[in-house]
Amino acid sequence: MINVEPGKTYRFRVHNVGISTSLNFRIQNHNLLLVETEGSYTVQQNYTNMDIHVGQSYSFLVTMDQNASTDYYMVASSRFTNSTSVSRVTGVAILHYSNSQGPVAGPLPDPPNEFETYYSMNQARSIRWNVSAGAARPNPQGSFRYGDITVTDVYVLLNRPAELIGGKWGTTLNGISYVAPATPLKLAQQFNIPGVFKLDFPNRMMNRPTKFDTSIINGSYRGFMEIIFQNNDSTVQSYHMDGYAFFVVGMDYGTWTENSRGTYNKWDGVARCTTQVFSGAWTAILVSLDNVGMWNLRAQNLNSWYLGQEVYVSVVNPEMTNKTEVAMPDNTIYCGLLSYLQRYQAHKVSFSGTTGVPNASRITTLVALLLTFFCGYFLRI
């Protein structure tokens, strides 16, 4: 139960922190005034409900303007799932006015019609960036008009559902199921270790068998990249990019073509870090590669992510400077081919004030081995 006062306006920040299912959020008899998503102010519009896909978040202003004859339902119910299971995946809370005249009564407010395939897509298209809000915002190459910036790289990322690849299950982007190496990518790049990864990720699906590989996108520092997600899976997928806010400029059902650019929103597409891609549809984003690092681009749906539907984008400043990337911290954990450095690291750390620890060298070696194991394990999950 959420207790509220009549006449007041409250901010509700709603996240879908699930692992596979899109949700529809609504409050009985109340409008949801959308004002923000994932750090970007939006054009303020009222909605009666909002589809929130895996990994996404929204802020709504909700005014308590009802007569409080009863309490009101707040509902988060599943979307795009088997209708027979909906009743088992519906979350319900109560909005309680301080002057409420009685408990909530009647059925839950209806969700959108599952068979109106364009409802959710049109709702997503209606979410636009507030270009007049006086606040910090992405400003690629000193211009709010991202639609006028020349695109330097184009990647059309075609996903495929889980399939057997060499006897193991995997999900892919452009025919590659990502394999996390024992040596973390950033360490391998920092120490110039060959053979850990390859900067050869294809910008389109290639006519070759699917495979497991550690293939990385070679991004151009201060470049402007166009990425098109093409969803050939039977379920809605969400994609998240670490380290960046990107502009969502277009989405539609069918297969993306060069002509699809004519439908792009080149003025006020919202800047966010997680976007949905509907089944049998595409979503296009633009991103300014101004943040140096090794950044993960992944499916948010856990089954797809775990089975390899991810890739990293390497962005390197060719000028050696600590202004675009901070130095490695003193407590860096070394794994894989660099695990031998962890022994020296352990000697630099005082784990306790105890002196004369027996078998200290064995303990240090054991710590290094455990760190190597766990570092590789958690990189995979």
Side-chain angles (χ1 to χ4, degrees):
M1 181 176 290
I2 297 178
N3 297 307
V4 295
E5 296 295 326
K8 288 190 174 182
T9 297
Y10 295 79
R11 179 195 180 197
F12 288 79
R13 194 155 197 250
V14 188
H15 308 260
N16 183 342
V17 296
I19 62 173
S20 64
T21 307
S22 299
L23 300 175
N24 182 267
F25 176 75
R26 53 201 183 274
I27 302 178
Q28 186 178 31
N29 293 357
H30 289 74
N31 283 322
L32 308 173
L33 181 63
L34 179 65
V35 294
E36 178 268 345
T37 179
E38 297 164 28
S40 291
Y41 287 115
T42 64
V43 173
Q44 297 188 10
Q45 301 179 81
N46 277 311
Y47 297 86
T48 57
N49 63 78
M50 178 63 69
D51 282 344
I52 306 176
H53 303 277
V54 178
Q56 292 185 330
S57 64
Y58 292 95
S59 289
F60 306 102
L61 297 182
V62 183
T63 300
M64 304 304 135
D65 55 4
Q66 298 301 299
N67 60 18
S69 57
T70 65
D71 291 339
Y72 299 93
Y73 287 119
M74 297 177 61
V75 181
S77 60
S78 63
R79 289 279 275 151
F80 314 111
T81 58
N82 188 328
S83 59
T84 60
S85 65
V86 169
S87 60
R88 297 197 300 271
V89 286
T90 299
V92 181
I94 303 299
L95 190 71
H96 174 73
Y97 281 60
S98 61
N99 62 340
S100 175
Q101 301 172 35
V104 68
L108 298 177
D110 290 331
N113 189 330
E114 285 287 325
F115 300 102
E116 294 180 7
T117 56
Y118 272 96
Y119 178 91
S120 188
M121 181 177 287
N122 287 335
Q123 185 183 73
R125 288 167 169 167
S126 73
I127 300 169
R128 295 179 292 125
W129 198 28
N130 189 336
V131 296
S132 62
R137 70 186 84 181
N139 187 20
Q141 301 182 16
S143 170
F144 291 124
R145 298 183 179 179
Y146 63 84
D148 294 337
I149 300 173
T150 301
V151 171
T152 57
D153 299 283
V154 180
Y155 281 83
V156 181
L157 302 183
L158 176 69
N159 75 8
R160 288 171 63 168
E163 59 186 301
L164 282 172
I165 306 172
K168 295 182 179 180
W169 287 101
T171 54
T172 61
L173 290 173
N174 286 2
I176 297 175
S177 184
Y178 179 77
V179 177
T183 306
L185 297 174
K186 192 59 189 171
L187 284 179
Q189 185 182 68
Q190 186 79 16
F191 287 85
N192 295 316
I193 299 176
V196 175
F197 64 88
K198 295 175 285 187
L199 291 170
D200 64 352
F201 192 88
N203 60 4
R204 279 175 168 77
M205 183 72 179
M206 300 181 70
N207 185 21
R208 64 185 185 185
T210 55
K211 63 178 181 176
F212 292 103
D213 205 355
T214 308
S215 180
I216 307 302
I217 292 176
N218 190 11
S220 302
Y221 178 53
R222 292 184 176 172
F224 199 60
M225 184 177 287
E226 177 184 10
I227 301 175
I228 299 96
F229 300 100
Q230 183 75 54
N231 184 5
N232 280 9
D233 208 333
S234 59
T235 59
V236 179
Q237 297 286 327
S238 298
Y239 290 92
H240 172 87
M241 187 173 186
D242 288 344
Y244 287 95
F246 49 71
F247 299 97
V248 182
V249 294
M251 60 180 68
D252 204 353
Y253 284 101
T255 301
W256 181 89
T257 68
E258 303 283 341
N259 293 331
S260 301
R261 292 193 178 102
T263 67
Y264 283 6
N265 177 352
K266 295 185 176 181
W267 169 244
D268 59 359
V270 70
R272 63 188 314 164
C273 58
T274 306
T275 187
Q276 70 273 48
V277 190
F278 295 96
S279 176
W282 57 267
T283 295
I285 65 172
L286 297 174
V287 56
S288 177
L289 301 181
D290 55 3
N291 191 11
V292 173
M294 187 75 76
W295 302 108
N296 187 234
L297 177 61
R298 64 180 179 269
Q300 286 288 80
N301 304 56
L302 186 58
N303 56 347
S304 299
W305 180 18
Y306 180 77
L307 290 175
Q309 201 168 106
E310 62 177 319
V311 66
Y312 281 79
V313 181
S314 173
V315 182
V316 177
N317 183 352
E319 298 180 9
M320 299 299 293
T321 173
N322 60 3
K323 294 182 179 180
T324 55
E325 188 174 27
V326 298
M328 290 176 57
D330 292 336
N331 61 347
T332 296
I333 296 177
Y334 296 96
C335 305
L337 296 174
L338 292 169
S339 59
Y340 67 93
L341 294 176
Q342 193 61 36
R343 298 172 186 175
Y344 303 105
Q345 192 78 306
H347 284 301
K348 294 190 295 182
V349 178
S350 177
F351 294 103
S352 72
T354 305
T355 58
V357 178
N359 299 318
S361 61
R362 293 184 182 179
I363 293 173
T364 301
T365 302
L366 179 60
V367 168
L369 289 172
L370 287 172
L371 285 169
T372 300
F373 170 77
F374 282 115
C375 199
Y377 175 75
F378 284 113
L379 276 171
R380 180 56 186 150
I381 64 171

